[in-house]
Amino acid sequence: MEELISRITNNVGVDSATAEKAVGLILAFLEKEGPQDKVGALIAGIPGAQELIASADKGGFLSNMMGGVMGLGSKLMGAGLGMGEITGVAKETIAFAKEKAGAQTVDDVVNSIPGLGQFI
């Protein structure tokens, strides 16, 4: 996981604590919204993923009311990220997941979640 966090801090320009929180939120979202068998394989392929998911802030009142991609966006903005940073973190996370868990598995997860593909 350190490799992914380093890539995000270097390529997106957010600090490591924010990067860890954002990755945890993204992975928690995928775990909740994606097909369990594919998401399980994705998460199992990324060392440290479960720990980040467990530590991800589940969000406040507004983000709990909003579901799907919009709810995730709200949580990421609540973590201090702007739209450009959200896109950057998402792209780095997905690219890393493809390297570790396989492109087909990750594509299956992304394609199963309505609206997610337009952000990555």
Side-chain angles (χ1 to χ4, degrees):
M1 190 56 63
E2 188 176 307
E3 178 186 352
L4 173 58
I5 300 308
S6 177
R7 282 170 50 171
I8 291 171
T9 59
N10 291 331
N11 298 335
V12 181
V14 299
D15 64 82
S16 61
T18 302
E20 286 181 11
K21 185 171 190 165
V23 171
L25 289 169
I26 291 168
L27 294 175
F29 170 78
L30 294 175
E31 186 176 59
K32 179 180 179 218
E33 300 289 330
Q36 294 305 302
D37 59 332
K38 300 287 185 182
V39 174
L42 185 153
I43 290 172
I46 303 174
Q50 282 296 79
E51 292 79 8
L52 284 185
I53 291 170
S55 68
D57 179 11
K58 301 306 178 201
F61 178 72
L62 183 60
S63 21
N64 285 334
M65 289 183 62
M66 289 203 245
V69 174
M70 295 303 292
L72 174 61
S74 175
K75 289 178 183 181
L76 291 168
M77 283 187 229
L81 297 173
M83 286 306 294
E85 293 167 326
I86 290 171
T87 301
V89 170
K91 287 182 179 190
E92 291 290 341
T93 301
I94 294 300
F96 185 80
K98 285 181 177 184
E99 292 169 17
K100 300 299 181 185
Q104 188 62 54
T105 298
V106 176
D107 287 343
D108 289 347
V109 171
V110 169
N111 293 332
S112 74
I113 302 171
L116 183 58
Q118 69 187 4
F119 294 102
I120 53 166

